Amino acid sequence: MRAILKGLAVALVCAVPVAGAAQELTALARVDPVESAVKDGWFGKTDLTVALSQGVPFRVFLLDDPARLIVDFREADWSEVARGDLLKKPGRISALRFGAFQPGWSRLVADLAEPMIPAEIGMPVDASSGKARLEITLETVAAEVFAKAAGVPVDPDWTTALTAPPKPAAVDKDSFTIVLDPGHGGIDPGAQREGLDEKDLMLNFARDLRDALRRKGVDVLLTRDDDIFVALEYRVAIAHQAEADLFISLHADSLSQGGASGATVYTLSDDASDVATEHLAARHDRSDIIAGADLTGSDDQVAGILLDLARQETEPRSDALAATLVEGMRAAGGPMNSRPLRRAGFSVLKSADIPSVLVEVGFLSSKRDLTNLRDPVWRASMVSAMADAIVAWRDQDAALKPLIRK
């Protein structure tokens, strides 16, 4: 079985699932790192091969600014593939990322060093073994040709499955509701150091903090409770759908500027409070690009309006929460950053009506912080301190609310 598409309009504007019977395949296919590869050839052509234990439905499309090739797979397992297995060294494809995207779906994102479009796309399946090979031949084109070809395919079946935000579980709106946001996830691992991924550390930390808060009678939802990718705008959308009273994003980044170390709490601002924070905000807001999200149509004017609204009532409440968290975490032994209260324009903090903070529990680039994050005793102490601080802020905020609205 083989689907080969030639020509710009067909290969790039339409979704590209495997033809015929492959649409019915739903069993998990393993990616074989030995038989998969990226090879630059003559005359501006590059071959991308992904070897699979069986055929699966897939689609291919391009995104611009920056130039990327995206391949979505139904039920493909990348767990046996290391980062350097497919791309031995940068060439016309400068970087590759792959991994879970949404439940039942995985994604491969190829950063393109020059504009290229697929000249051929196929998935031949061996009749005797059932093994399949996704084969994509890319060829160099003019920038304007690439820009015209780029864009997410218009296909409701794929779009709903791959881009709809997870629906939050029902909550009792007579109670106080918090949305915890474990940073990164799925194809976006976040910071990495000594075999640890930020996405895994923060998911475990968020689960522990959720449990601690629930024991105090607080309703808690997670933006993700699994190793999946959730776009930045959907993280905030989940909080709105849940009518959350508070939003906390959890991270443990890696930042070389200034030797960052110690827990830090960030609130929203147009401008970063320092250069290191500006770099950090830029790294966080690249998550959607890393995962192959389409950012066209983003409305900076709307974002500016939201920022203005946030300053009227929500920002002072967010500031009070940040201060309470810093006080509680410091009392528990921290360690805290030398400047633990900072400001930046993180996308996940741009909710106009929900107090929001982003907590860097520590930095993986700090040996001391890395040791702490690996220590279950330290994590339990920090979780307990944060839960106590959140409840203390909730009670203080409730007492002040009648005064704020006068």
Side-chain angles (χ1 to χ4, degrees):
M1 174 171 42
R2 185 174 181 85
I4 300 180
L5 301 180
K6 296 184 178 181
L8 194 63
V10 176
L12 300 176
V13 177
C14 301
V16 188
V18 180
Q23 289 283 60
E24 304 301 320
L25 295 172
T26 58
L28 189 66
R30 295 182 305 280
V31 179
D32 181 352
V34 176
E35 297 297 325
S36 302
V38 175
K39 294 181 180 178
D40 284 338
W42 297 98
F43 309 113
K45 290 192 175 184
T46 295
D47 292 323
L48 169 63
T49 301
V50 179
L52 301 158
S53 59
Q54 66 176 61
V56 293
F58 70 98
R59 71 171 184 176
V60 179
F61 60 95
L62 299 171
L63 291 177
D64 203 357
D65 195 25
R68 289 158 287 162
L69 171 79
I70 314 296
V71 186
D72 289 327
F73 297 87
R74 176 68 172 169
E75 304 287 1
D77 176 13
W78 295 82
S79 61
E80 297 179 6
V81 187
R83 286 180 172 260
D85 284 344
L86 274 66
L87 186 65
K88 302 301 182 184
K89 62 179 181 178
R92 295 191 189 98
I93 292 179
S94 57
L96 275 181
R97 296 174 297 280
F98 41 81
F101 186 68
Q102 294 288 351
W105 300 94
S106 65
R107 170 167 285 191
L108 179 147
V109 180
D111 293 340
L112 305 180
E114 56 190 68
M116 296 189 293
I117 64 171
E120 295 186 359
I121 302 174
M123 185 180 280
V125 177
D126 185 275
S128 58
S129 67
K131 294 182 178 181
R133 295 168 64 90
L134 172 62
E135 299 171 346
I136 301 175
T137 298
L138 298 161
E139 62 181 12
T140 301
V141 295
E144 57 270 22
V145 174
F146 182 90
K148 186 176 180 180
V152 177
V154 179
D155 185 332
D157 292 337
W158 286 85
T159 302
T160 300
L162 290 173
T163 63
K167 291 185 178 180
V171 296
D172 178 5
K173 278 320 296 166
D174 290 332
S175 65
F176 188 83
T177 302
I178 298 174
V179 169
L180 298 178
D181 174 42
H184 309 281
I187 190 173
D188 174 20
Q192 297 178 299
R193 186 61 58 94
E194 296 183 14
L196 295 178
D197 287 352
E198 180 184 2
K199 64 175 182 178
D200 299 326
L201 286 169
M202 289 303 99
L203 179 57
N204 291 331
F205 194 94
R207 287 169 172 166
D208 291 344
L209 183 54
R210 173 193 61 191
D211 295 345
L213 286 166
R214 283 179 174 174
R215 288 193 292 269
K216 295 177 179 293
V218 179
D219 275 340
V220 184
L221 301 174
L222 303 185
T223 56
R224 64 179 184 93
D225 198 7
D226 204 347
D227 183 22
I228 61 170
F229 171 77
V230 181
L232 294 174
E233 64 177 298
Y234 292 147
R235 295 171 187 263
V236 178
I238 289 167
H240 283 135
Q241 290 173 5
E243 300 179 37
D245 299 289
L246 180 61
F247 179 91
I248 300 177
S249 190
L250 299 167
H251 290 262
D253 217 293
S254 179
L255 193 62
S256 58
Q257 291 88 349
S261 65
T264 314
V265 184
Y266 297 84
T267 52
L268 180 66
S269 174
D270 277 329
D271 302 312
S273 54
D274 54 83
V275 174
T277 299
E278 184 177 0
H279 285 301
L280 187 65
R283 281 169 54 88
H284 281 225
D285 286 357
R286 286 187 68 247
S287 291
D288 285 3
I289 293 176
I290 288 171
D294 182 15
L295 303 184
T296 57
S298 299
D299 191 337
D300 292 337
Q301 184 177 3
V302 171
I305 293 171
L306 291 179
L307 286 169
D308 291 340
L309 289 172
R311 291 190 180 96
Q312 294 179 17
E313 178 181 340
T314 309
E315 185 174 311
R317 298 171 64 203
S318 298
D319 289 344
L321 170 63
T324 303
L325 278 168
V326 167
E327 182 181 350
M329 296 164 78
R330 179 180 281 134
M336 305 302 295
N337 188 270
S338 58
R339 292 179 55 203
L341 289 170
R342 302 197 183 205
R343 294 179 175 275
F346 293 105
S347 292
V348 291
L349 300 184
K350 293 181 180 179
S351 174
D353 54 349
I354 304 173
S356 305
V357 296
L358 185 147
V359 181
E360 291 283 353
V361 184
F363 289 87
L364 295 188
S365 47
S366 162
K367 185 175 181 179
R368 178 193 65 185
D369 290 358
L370 182 60
T371 299
N372 286 338
L373 287 163
R374 281 175 159 158
D375 181 0
V377 176
W378 181 89
R379 290 198 307 269
S381 175
M382 195 56 57
V383 162
S384 178
M386 289 180 66
D388 288 342
I390 290 166
V391 170
W393 173 85
R394 177 199 65 184
D395 297 341
Q396 295 165 6
D397 186 67
L400 290 172
K401 209 169 261 188
L403 299 177
I404 294 173
R405 293 181 175 174
K406 283 187 179 180

